[in-house]
Coordinates of all heavy atoms in Angstrom, one line a residue:
M606 N 168.9 152.3 91.8 CA 169.1 151.2 90.9 C 168.1 150.1 91.2 O 168.0 149.7 92.4 CB 170.5 150.6 91.0 CG 170.8 149.6 90.0 SD 172.6 149.4 89.8 CE 172.9 147.9 90.5
T607 N 167.4 149.6 90.2 CA 166.4 148.5 90.4 C 167.1 147.2 90.1 O 167.7 147.0 89.1 CB 165.2 148.7 89.4 OG1 164.7 150.0 89.7 CG2 164.2 147.7 89.7
Q608 N 166.8 146.3 91.1 CA 167.3 144.9 90.9 C 166.2 144.0 90.5 O 165.0 144.2 91.0 CB 167.9 144.4 92.2 CG 169.3 144.8 92.5 CD 169.9 144.1 93.7 OE1 169.2 143.6 94.5 NE2 171.2 144.0 93.7
T609 N 166.4 143.2 89.6 CA 165.4 142.2 89.2 C 165.9 140.8 89.7 O 167.1 140.5 89.7 CB 165.2 142.1 87.7 OG1 166.4 141.8 87.1 CG2 164.6 143.4 87.2
H610 N 164.9 140.1 90.2 CA 165.2 138.7 90.8 C 164.5 137.7 89.9 O 163.4 137.9 89.4 CB 164.7 138.6 92.2 CG 165.4 139.6 93.1 ND1 166.7 139.5 93.6 CD2 165.0 140.8 93.6 CE1 167.0 140.5 94.3 NE2 166.0 141.3 94.3
T611 N 165.2 136.6 89.7 CA 164.7 135.5 88.9 C 164.2 134.4 89.8 O 165.0 134.0 90.7 CB 165.7 135.0 87.9 OG1 166.2 136.1 87.1 CG2 165.2 133.9 87.0
I612 N 163.0 134.0 89.6 CA 162.5 132.8 90.3 C 162.5 131.6 89.3 O 161.9 131.7 88.3 CB 161.1 133.1 90.9 CG1 161.2 134.3 91.8 CG2 160.5 131.8 91.5 CD1 159.8 134.7 92.3
R613 N 163.2 130.6 89.7 CA 163.3 129.4 88.9 C 162.2 128.4 89.3 O 162.0 128.2 90.5 CB 164.7 128.7 89.0 CG 165.8 129.7 88.7 CD 165.9 129.9 87.2 NE 167.1 130.7 87.0 CZ 167.2 131.4 85.9 NH1 166.3 131.5 85.0 NH2 168.3 132.1 85.7
T614 N 161.7 127.7 88.3 CA 160.7 126.6 88.6 C 161.4 125.3 88.7 O 162.3 125.0 88.0 CB 159.7 126.5 87.5 OG1 159.0 127.8 87.3 CG2 158.6 125.5 87.7
V615 N 161.0 124.5 89.8 CA 161.6 123.2 90.0 C 160.6 122.1 89.8 O 159.5 122.2 90.3 CB 162.2 123.1 91.4 CG1 162.7 121.7 91.7 CG2 163.2 124.2 91.7
L616 N 160.9 121.1 89.0 CA 160.0 120.0 88.8 C 160.4 118.9 89.8 O 161.6 118.5 89.8 CB 160.1 119.5 87.4 CG 159.2 118.2 87.0 CD1 157.7 118.5 87.3 CD2 159.5 117.8 85.6
D617 N 159.6 118.5 90.7 CA 159.9 117.5 91.7 C 159.4 116.2 91.2 O 158.1 116.0 91.0 CB 159.2 117.9 93.0 CG 159.7 117.2 94.2 OD1 160.9 116.9 94.2 OD2 158.9 117.0 95.2
L618 N 160.3 115.2 91.0 CA 159.9 114.0 90.4 C 160.5 112.8 91.2 O 161.6 112.9 91.8 CB 160.4 113.8 89.0 CG 159.7 114.6 87.9 CD1 160.4 114.4 86.6 CD2 158.2 114.2 87.8
S619 N 159.8 111.7 91.2 CA 160.3 110.5 91.8 C 161.5 109.9 91.1 O 161.5 110.0 89.8 CB 159.2 109.4 91.9 OG 159.7 108.2 92.3
T620 N 162.4 109.4 91.8 CA 163.6 108.7 91.2 C 163.1 107.4 90.5 O 163.8 106.9 89.6 CB 164.7 108.3 92.2 OG1 164.1 107.6 93.2 CG2 165.3 109.6 92.7
G621 N 161.9 107.0 90.8 CA 161.3 105.8 90.1 C 161.1 106.0 88.6 O 160.9 105.0 87.9
H622 N 161.1 107.3 88.1 CA 161.0 107.5 86.7 C 162.3 107.3 86.0 O 162.4 107.3 84.7 CB 160.6 108.9 86.4 CG 159.2 109.2 86.9 ND1 158.1 108.5 86.4 CD2 158.7 110.1 87.8 CE1 157.0 108.9 87.0 NE2 157.3 109.9 87.8
L623 N 163.4 107.0 86.7 CA 164.7 106.7 86.1 C 165.1 105.3 86.3 O 164.8 104.7 87.3 CB 165.7 107.6 86.8 CG 165.5 109.1 86.8 CD1 166.5 109.9 87.6 CD2 165.5 109.6 85.3
T624 N 165.8 104.8 85.3 CA 166.4 103.4 85.5 C 167.5 103.5 86.5 O 168.1 104.5 86.8 CB 166.9 102.9 84.1 OG1 168.0 103.7 83.7 CG2 165.8 102.9 83.0
E625 N 167.9 102.3 86.9 CA 169.0 102.2 87.9 C 170.3 102.8 87.3 O 171.1 103.5 87.9 CB 169.3 100.8 88.4 CG 170.4 100.7 89.4 CD 170.1 101.5 90.7 OE1 168.9 101.6 91.1 OE2 171.1 102.1 91.2
Q626 N 170.5 102.5 86.0 CA 171.7 103.0 85.3 C 171.7 104.6 85.2 O 172.7 105.2 85.5 CB 171.7 102.5 83.9 CG 172.9 102.9 83.1 CD 172.9 102.3 81.7 OE1 172.0 101.6 81.2 NE2 174.0 102.5 80.9
T627 N 170.6 105.2 85.0 CA 170.5 106.6 85.0 C 170.6 107.2 86.4 O 171.3 108.2 86.6 CB 169.2 107.1 84.3 OG1 169.1 106.6 83.0 CG2 169.1 108.6 84.3
R628 N 170.1 106.6 87.4 CA 170.2 107.0 88.8 C 171.7 107.0 89.2 O 172.2 107.9 89.8 CB 169.4 106.1 89.7 CG 167.9 106.5 89.7 CD 167.2 105.6 90.7 NE 166.3 104.8 89.9 CZ 165.7 103.7 90.3 NH1 166.0 103.2 91.5 NH2 164.9 103.1 89.6
T629 N 172.4 106.0 88.7 CA 173.8 105.9 89.0 C 174.6 107.1 88.4 O 175.4 107.7 89.0 CB 174.4 104.6 88.6 OG1 173.8 103.5 89.3 CG2 175.9 104.5 88.8
L630 N 174.2 107.3 87.1 CA 174.8 108.5 86.4 C 174.6 109.8 87.1 O 175.5 110.6 87.3 CB 174.2 108.5 85.0 CG 174.7 109.6 84.1 CD1 176.1 109.3 83.6 CD2 173.7 109.7 82.9
L631 N 173.4 110.0 87.7 CA 173.1 111.2 88.3 C 173.7 111.3 89.7 O 173.9 112.4 90.2 CB 171.6 111.4 88.4 CG 170.8 111.6 87.1 CD1 169.3 111.8 87.4 CD2 171.4 112.7 86.3
R632 N 174.0 110.2 90.3 CA 174.6 110.2 91.7 C 176.1 110.6 91.7 O 176.6 110.9 92.7 CB 174.5 108.9 92.3 CG 173.1 108.7 93.0 CD 173.1 107.4 93.9 NE 173.4 106.2 93.2 CZ 172.4 105.4 92.8 NH1 171.2 105.7 93.0 NH2 172.7 104.3 92.2
R633 N 176.7 110.7 90.5 CA 178.1 111.1 90.5 C 178.2 112.5 91.0 O 177.6 113.4 90.5 CB 178.7 111.0 89.1 CG 178.7 109.5 88.6 CD 179.3 109.5 87.2 NE 179.3 108.1 86.8 CZ 179.4 107.8 85.5 NH1 179.4 108.7 84.6 NH2 179.4 106.5 85.2
A634 N 179.0 112.7 92.0 CA 179.0 114.0 92.7 C 179.4 115.1 91.8 O 180.3 115.1 91.1 CB 180.1 113.9 93.9
Q635 N 178.5 116.1 91.8 CA 178.7 117.3 91.0 C 179.2 117.0 89.7 O 180.2 117.6 89.2 CB 179.5 118.3 91.8 CG 178.9 118.7 93.1 CD 179.7 119.8 93.8 OE1 180.8 120.2 93.4 NE2 179.2 120.3 94.9
S636 N 178.6 116.1 89.0 CA 179.0 115.7 87.7 C 178.4 116.6 86.6 O 177.4 117.1 86.7 CB 178.7 114.3 87.4 OG 177.3 114.1 87.4
R637 N 179.2 116.8 85.5 CA 178.7 117.5 84.4 C 178.7 116.5 83.2 O 179.8 116.0 82.8 CB 179.6 118.7 84.0 CG 179.1 119.5 82.9 CD 180.0 120.7 82.7 NE 179.3 121.9 82.2 CZ 178.3 122.5 82.7 NH1 177.6 122.1 83.7 NH2 177.8 123.6 82.1
Q638 N 177.6 116.1 82.9 CA 177.4 115.1 81.8 C 177.8 115.7 80.5 O 177.7 116.9 80.3 CB 176.0 114.5 81.8 CG 175.5 114.1 83.1 CD 176.4 113.2 84.0 OE1 177.2 112.5 83.5 NE2 176.2 113.3 85.3
G639 N 178.2 114.9 79.5 CA 178.6 115.3 78.2 C 177.4 115.9 77.4 O 177.6 116.5 76.4
F640 N 176.2 115.8 77.9 CA 175.0 116.3 77.1 C 174.4 117.5 77.8 O 173.2 117.8 77.6 CB 174.0 115.2 77.0 CG 173.8 114.3 78.2 CD1 173.0 114.7 79.2 CD2 174.4 113.1 78.2 CE1 172.9 113.9 80.3 CE2 174.2 112.2 79.3 CZ 173.4 112.7 80.4
G641 N 175.2 118.3 78.5 CA 174.7 119.6 79.0 C 173.9 119.5 80.3 O 173.0 120.4 80.5
L642 N 174.1 118.6 81.1 CA 173.3 118.4 82.3 C 174.3 118.4 83.5 O 175.2 117.6 83.5 CB 172.5 117.1 82.3 CG 171.6 116.9 83.5 CD1 170.4 117.8 83.6 CD2 171.1 115.4 83.5
R643 N 174.1 119.3 84.5 CA 174.9 119.3 85.7 C 174.0 118.8 86.8 O 172.9 119.2 86.9 CB 175.4 120.7 86.0 CG 176.2 120.7 87.2 CD 177.0 122.1 87.3 NE 177.7 122.0 88.5 CZ 177.6 122.8 89.6 NH1 176.6 123.7 89.5 NH2 178.3 122.7 90.6
T644 N 174.6 117.9 87.6 CA 173.8 117.3 88.7 C 174.5 117.5 90.0 O 175.7 117.5 90.1 CB 173.5 115.8 88.5 OG1 174.8 115.1 88.4 CG2 172.7 115.6 87.2
V645 N 173.7 117.6 91.1 CA 174.2 117.6 92.5 C 173.5 116.6 93.2 O 172.2 116.7 93.4 CB 174.1 119.0 93.1 CG1 174.6 119.0 94.5 CG2 174.9 120.1 92.3
P646 N 174.1 115.5 93.7 CA 173.4 114.5 94.4 C 173.0 114.9 95.8 O 173.7 115.8 96.4 CB 174.4 113.3 94.4 CG 175.8 114.0 94.3 CD 175.5 115.2 93.5
H647 N 172.0 114.3 96.3 CA 171.6 114.6 97.7 C 171.2 113.2 98.3 O 171.2 112.2 97.6 CB 170.5 115.6 97.8 CG 169.2 115.4 97.1 ND1 168.3 114.5 97.5 CD2 168.8 116.0 95.9 CE1 167.3 114.5 96.6 NE2 167.6 115.4 95.7
Q648 N 170.8 113.2 99.5 CA 170.5 112.0 100.3 C 169.5 111.0 99.6 O 169.7 109.8 99.6 CB 170.1 112.3 101.7 CG 169.9 111.0 102.5 CD 169.5 111.4 104.0 OE1 169.3 112.6 104.3 NE2 169.3 110.4 104.8
H649 N 168.5 111.6 98.9 CA 167.5 110.8 98.3 C 167.4 110.8 96.8 O 166.4 110.4 96.2 CB 166.1 111.2 98.9 CG 166.0 111.1 100.4 ND1 165.9 109.8 101.0 CD2 166.1 112.0 101.4 CE1 165.9 110.0 102.3 NE2 166.0 111.3 102.6
G650 N 168.4 111.4 96.2 CA 168.4 111.5 94.7 C 169.4 112.5 94.2 O 170.6 112.4 94.6
A651 N 169.0 113.4 93.4 CA 169.9 114.4 92.8 C 169.0 115.5 92.2 O 167.9 115.4 91.8 CB 170.7 113.8 91.7
I652 N 169.7 116.7 92.2 CA 169.1 117.9 91.5 C 169.8 118.0 90.2 O 171.0 118.0 90.1 CB 169.2 119.1 92.4 CG1 168.5 119.0 93.7 CG2 168.8 120.4 91.6 CD1 168.7 120.1 94.6
A653 N 169.0 118.1 89.1 CA 169.6 118.3 87.8 C 169.3 119.7 87.3 O 168.2 120.2 87.4 CB 168.9 117.3 86.8
F654 N 170.4 120.4 86.9 CA 170.3 121.8 86.4 C 170.2 121.6 84.9 O 171.2 121.1 84.3 CB 171.5 122.6 86.8 CG 171.6 122.7 88.3 CD1 172.2 121.7 89.1 CD2 171.1 123.9 88.9 CE1 172.3 121.9 90.5 CE2 171.2 124.0 90.3 CZ 171.8 123.0 91.1
L655 N 169.2 122.1 84.2 CA 169.0 122.0 82.8 C 169.5 123.2 82.0 O 169.2 124.3 82.4 CB 167.5 121.8 82.5 CG 166.8 120.7 83.4 CD1 165.3 120.7 83.0 CD2 167.4 119.4 83.2
S656 N 170.3 122.9 81.0 CA 170.7 124.0 80.2 C 169.6 124.3 79.2 O 168.7 123.5 78.9 CB 172.0 123.6 79.4 OG 171.7 122.6 78.5
E657 N 169.6 125.6 78.7 CA 168.5 126.0 77.8 C 168.4 125.2 76.5 O 167.4 124.9 76.0 CB 168.7 127.5 77.5 CG 168.5 128.4 78.6 CD 167.1 128.5 79.1 OE1 166.2 128.3 78.3 OE2 166.9 128.7 80.3
D658 N 169.6 124.7 76.0 CA 169.6 124.0 74.8 C 169.5 122.5 74.9 O 169.4 121.8 73.9 CB 170.9 124.4 74.0 CG 172.1 124.1 74.7 OD1 172.2 124.5 75.9 OD2 173.1 123.5 74.2
L659 N 169.4 122.0 76.1 CA 169.4 120.6 76.4 C 168.1 120.0 75.7 O 168.2 118.9 75.1 CB 169.4 120.2 77.9 CG 169.4 118.8 78.2 CD1 170.5 118.0 77.6 CD2 169.3 118.6 79.7
A660 N 167.0 120.6 75.9 CA 165.7 120.1 75.4 C 165.7 120.0 73.8 O 165.0 119.2 73.2 CB 164.5 120.9 75.8
Q661 N 166.6 120.8 73.2 CA 166.7 120.8 71.7 C 167.6 119.6 71.2 O 167.5 119.3 70.0 CB 167.2 122.1 71.3 CG 166.5 123.3 71.8 CD 165.0 123.3 71.5 OE1 164.6 122.9 70.4 NE2 164.2 123.6 72.5
D662 N 168.4 119.1 72.1 CA 169.4 118.1 71.6 C 169.4 116.9 72.7 O 170.3 116.9 73.5 CB 170.7 118.7 71.5 CG 171.7 117.7 70.9 OD1 171.3 116.7 70.3 OD2 173.0 118.0 71.0
L663 N 168.4 116.1 72.6 CA 168.3 115.0 73.5 C 168.9 113.6 73.0 O 168.7 112.6 73.6 CB 166.9 114.8 74.0 CG 166.3 115.9 74.8 CD1 164.8 115.8 75.0 CD2 167.0 116.1 76.1
E664 N 169.5 113.7 71.9 CA 170.0 112.5 71.2 C 170.9 111.7 72.0 O 170.9 110.4 72.0 CB 170.8 113.0 69.9 CG 171.3 111.8 69.1 CD 172.0 112.3 67.8 OE1 171.8 113.4 67.4 OE2 172.8 111.5 67.3
H665 N 171.8 112.3 72.8 CA 172.7 111.5 73.6 C 172.3 111.3 75.1 O 173.1 110.8 75.9 CB 174.1 112.2 73.6 CG 174.6 112.4 72.2 ND1 175.0 111.3 71.4 CD2 174.8 113.5 71.4 CE1 175.4 111.7 70.2 NE2 175.3 113.0 70.2
V666 N 171.1 111.7 75.4 CA 170.6 111.6 76.8 C 169.8 110.3 76.9 O 169.0 109.9 76.0 CB 169.6 112.8 77.0 CG1 169.0 112.7 78.4 CG2 170.4 114.1 76.9
P667 N 170.0 109.5 78.0 CA 169.2 108.3 78.2 C 167.7 108.6 78.0 O 167.2 109.7 78.4 CB 169.5 107.9 79.6 CG 170.8 108.5 79.9 CD 170.9 109.8 79.1
V668 N 166.9 107.7 77.4 CA 165.5 107.9 77.1 C 164.7 108.3 78.3 O 163.9 109.2 78.3 CB 164.9 106.6 76.4 CG1 163.4 106.8 76.2 CG2 165.6 106.4 75.1
D669 N 164.9 107.6 79.4 CA 164.1 107.9 80.6 C 164.4 109.3 81.1 O 163.5 110.1 81.5 CB 164.4 106.9 81.8 CG 165.9 106.8 82.1 OD1 166.7 107.0 81.2 OD2 166.2 106.4 83.3
L670 N 165.6 109.8 81.1 CA 166.0 111.1 81.5 C 165.5 112.1 80.5 O 165.0 113.2 80.8 CB 167.5 111.2 81.6 CG 168.1 112.5 82.1 CD1 167.5 112.9 83.5 CD2 169.6 112.5 82.2
A671 N 165.5 111.8 79.2 CA 165.0 112.7 78.1 C 163.5 113.0 78.3 O 163.1 114.1 78.2 CB 165.3 112.1 76.8
R672 N 162.8 112.0 78.8 CA 161.3 112.2 79.0 C 161.1 113.2 80.1 O 160.3 114.1 80.1 CB 160.7 110.9 79.4 CG 160.5 109.9 78.2 CD 159.7 108.7 78.7 NE 159.7 107.7 77.6 CZ 160.1 106.5 77.7 NH1 160.7 106.0 78.8 NH2 160.0 105.7 76.7
T673 N 161.9 113.1 81.2 CA 161.8 114.0 82.3 C 162.2 115.4 81.9 O 161.6 116.4 82.3 CB 162.6 113.6 83.6 OG1 164.0 113.6 83.3 CG2 162.1 112.2 84.0
V674 N 163.3 115.5 81.1 CA 163.8 116.9 80.6 C 162.7 117.5 79.8 O 162.4 118.7 79.9 CB 165.1 116.7 79.9 CG1 165.4 118.0 79.2 CG2 166.2 116.3 80.8
T675 N 162.1 116.8 78.9 CA 161.0 117.3 78.0 C 159.8 117.8 78.9 O 159.3 118.9 78.7 CB 160.5 116.2 77.1 OG1 161.6 115.8 76.2 CG2 159.4 116.7 76.2
L676 N 159.4 117.0 79.9 CA 158.4 117.4 80.8 C 158.8 118.7 81.5 O 157.9 119.7 81.6 CB 158.0 116.3 81.8 CG 156.9 116.6 82.8 CD1 155.6 116.8 82.0 CD2 156.8 115.5 83.8
A677 N 160.0 118.8 82.0 CA 160.4 120.0 82.7 C 160.4 121.2 81.8 O 159.9 122.3 82.2 CB 161.9 119.8 83.2
H678 N 160.8 121.1 80.6 CA 160.8 122.2 79.6 C 159.4 122.6 79.3 O 159.1 123.8 79.1 CB 161.6 121.9 78.4 CG 163.1 122.2 78.6 ND1 163.7 123.4 78.6 CD2 164.1 121.3 78.9 CE1 164.9 123.3 78.9 NE2 165.2 122.1 79.1
Q679 N 158.5 121.6 79.2 CA 157.1 122.0 78.9 C 156.5 122.8 80.1 O 155.5 123.6 79.8 CB 156.2 120.7 78.8 CG 156.5 119.9 77.5 CD 155.9 118.5 77.5 OE1 155.4 118.0 78.5 NE2 155.9 117.9 76.3
H680 N 157.0 122.7 81.3 CA 156.5 123.5 82.4 C 157.5 124.6 82.8 O 157.4 125.2 83.9 CB 156.3 122.6 83.6 CG 155.2 121.6 83.4 ND1 153.9 121.9 83.5 CD2 155.2 120.3 83.0 CE1 153.1 120.9 83.3 NE2 153.9 119.9 82.9
S681 N 158.4 124.9 81.9 CA 159.4 126.0 82.1 C 160.2 125.8 83.3 O 160.7 126.8 83.9 CB 158.7 127.4 82.1 OG 158.0 127.6 80.9
A682 N 160.5 124.6 83.7 CA 161.4 124.3 84.8 C 162.8 124.3 84.4 O 163.1 123.7 83.3 CB 161.0 123.0 85.5
L683 N 163.7 124.9 85.2 CA 165.1 124.8 84.9 C 165.9 123.9 85.8 O 167.0 123.6 85.6 CB 165.7 126.2 85.0 CG 165.2 127.2 83.9 CD1 165.8 128.6 84.1 CD2 165.5 126.7 82.5
L684 N 165.1 123.3 86.7 CA 165.7 122.3 87.7 C 164.8 121.1 87.8 O 163.5 121.3 87.8 CB 165.9 122.9 89.1 CG 166.8 124.2 89.2 CD1 166.5 124.8 90.5 CD2 168.2 123.8 89.0
I685 N 165.3 120.0 88.0 CA 164.5 118.8 88.3 C 165.1 118.2 89.6 O 166.3 118.0 89.7 CB 164.6 117.7 87.3 CG1 164.1 118.2 85.9 CG2 163.7 116.5 87.7 CD1 164.2 117.2 84.8
N686 N 164.3 118.1 90.6 CA 164.7 117.5 91.9 C 164.2 116.0 91.8 O 163.0 115.7 92.0 CB 164.1 118.2 93.1 CG 164.5 117.5 94.4 OD1 165.6 117.0 94.5 ND2 163.5 117.4 95.3
F687 N 165.1 115.1 91.5 CA 164.8 113.7 91.6 C 164.9 113.2 93.0 O 166.0 113.3 93.6 CB 165.7 112.9 90.7 CG 165.5 113.2 89.2 CD1 166.5 113.9 88.5 CD2 164.4 112.7 88.5 CE1 166.3 114.2 87.2 CE2 164.3 112.9 87.2 CZ 165.2 113.7 86.5
D688 N 163.8 112.7 93.6 CA 163.8 112.4 95.0 C 163.0 111.1 95.2 O 161.9 110.9 94.6 CB 163.1 113.5 95.8 CG 163.3 113.4 97.3 OD1 163.0 112.3 97.8 OD2 163.9 114.3 97.9
A689 N 163.6 110.2 96.0 CA 163.0 108.9 96.2 C 161.6 109.0 96.9 O 160.7 108.2 96.7 CB 163.9 108.0 97.1
D690 N 161.4 110.1 97.6 CA 160.1 110.3 98.3 C 159.1 111.2 97.5 O 158.0 111.4 98.0 CB 160.4 111.0 99.6 CG 161.2 110.1 100.6 OD1 161.1 108.9 100.5 OD2 162.0 110.7 101.3
A691 N 159.5 111.7 96.4 CA 158.6 112.5 95.5 C 157.6 111.7 94.9 O 157.8 110.5 94.6 CB 159.5 113.3 94.5
P692 N 156.5 112.3 94.5 CA 155.4 111.5 93.8 C 155.8 111.2 92.4 O 156.6 111.9 91.8 CB 154.2 112.5 93.9 CG 154.8 113.9 94.0 CD 156.1 113.7 94.8
T693 N 155.2 110.2 91.9 CA 155.4 109.9 90.5 C 154.4 110.8 89.6 O 153.4 111.3 90.1 CB 155.0 108.4 90.2 OG1 153.7 108.1 90.6 CG2 156.0 107.5 90.9
H694 N 154.8 110.9 88.4 CA 154.0 111.8 87.5 C 153.2 110.8 86.5 O 153.8 109.9 86.0 CB 154.9 112.7 86.6 CG 154.2 113.7 85.9 ND1 153.5 113.5 84.8 CD2 154.0 115.0 86.2 CE1 152.9 114.6 84.3 NE2 153.2 115.6 85.2
P695 N 151.9 111.0 86.4 CA 151.1 110.1 85.6 C 151.5 110.0 84.1 O 151.2 109.0 83.5 CB 149.7 110.7 85.7 CG 149.9 112.1 86.0 CD 151.2 112.2 86.8
D696 N 152.2 111.0 83.6 CA 152.6 110.9 82.1 C 154.0 110.2 81.9 O 154.4 110.2 80.8 CB 152.7 112.3 81.6 CG 151.3 113.0 81.5 OD1 150.3 112.2 81.6 OD2 151.2 114.2 81.5
L697 N 154.6 109.8 83.0 CA 156.0 109.2 82.8 C 155.9 107.7 83.3 O 155.3 107.4 84.3 CB 157.0 110.0 83.7 CG 157.2 111.4 83.3 CD1 158.1 112.1 84.3 CD2 157.9 111.5 81.9
P698 N 156.7 106.8 82.6 CA 156.7 105.5 83.1 C 157.5 105.4 84.4 O 158.4 106.2 84.7 CB 157.5 104.7 82.0 CG 158.1 105.8 81.1 CD 157.4 107.1 81.4
V699 N 157.2 104.4 85.2 CA 158.0 104.1 86.4 C 158.8 102.8 86.2 O 158.3 101.8 85.7 CB 157.0 103.9 87.6 CG1 157.7 103.6 88.9 CG2 156.1 105.2 87.8
H700 N 160.1 102.9 86.7 CA 161.0 101.8 86.6 C 161.2 101.2 87.9 O 161.1 101.9 89.0 CB 162.3 102.2 86.0 CG 162.2 102.9 84.7 ND1 162.1 102.2 83.5 CD2 162.0 104.2 84.3 CE1 162.0 103.1 82.5 NE2 161.9 104.3 83.0
D701 N 161.5 99.9 88.0 CA 161.7 99.2 89.3 C 163.1 99.6 89.8 O 164.0 99.9 89.2 CB 161.7 97.7 89.1 CG 160.3 97.2 88.7 OD1 159.3 97.8 89.2 OD2 160.2 96.2 88.0

């Protein structure tokens, strides 16, 4: 029997691309947001698990988070690691 393994792409982004309000939303321990995003917080941010249909329906997602989700889907990433020590991306705005 042949097993196939799936390798997932992770987009590593600075938490600076998120507003404080969105960072607070993502820090909620193992939260499942109403818009199809599951997050697991860590010491320096959070990992966001993206559903396949999330990029198609960003209407209820905060604008700053929607931009990062769109970028992740453009690169076929199914996870975003938001980390305070990660680099910023030149195509995304940075918030204080």
Side-chain angles (χ1 to χ4, degrees):
M606 184 160 111
T607 304
Q608 283 188 331
T609 56
H610 300 282
T611 304
I612 298 173
R613 304 285 186 206
T614 302
V615 177
L616 179 61
D617 197 30
L618 286 177
S619 171
T620 54
H622 292 301
L623 304 173
T624 64
E625 184 59 40
Q626 182 179 5
T627 301
R628 283 183 243 161
T629 299
L630 180 73
L631 295 183
R632 278 194 295 263
R633 293 182 183 158
Q635 297 184 355
S636 61
R637 185 175 211 54
Q638 313 310 333
F640 41 78
L642 180 71
R643 181 168 179 243
T644 60
V645 177
H647 58 74
Q648 184 177 0
H649 300 286
I652 297 173
F654 298 84
L655 309 178
S656 66
E657 291 293 329
D658 56 315
L659 179 61
Q661 308 305 317
D662 185 19
L663 294 172
E664 181 180 337
H665 302 291
V666 177
V668 173
D669 55 332
L670 184 57
R672 287 184 185 121
T673 66
V674 169
T675 299
L676 182 66
H678 279 279
Q679 288 171 349
H680 293 280
S681 300
L683 295 179
L684 303 165
I685 302 174
N686 178 37
F687 292 105
D688 193 303
D690 297 327
T693 57
H694 192 284
D696 295 338
L697 296 173
V699 177
H700 304 276
D701 293 330

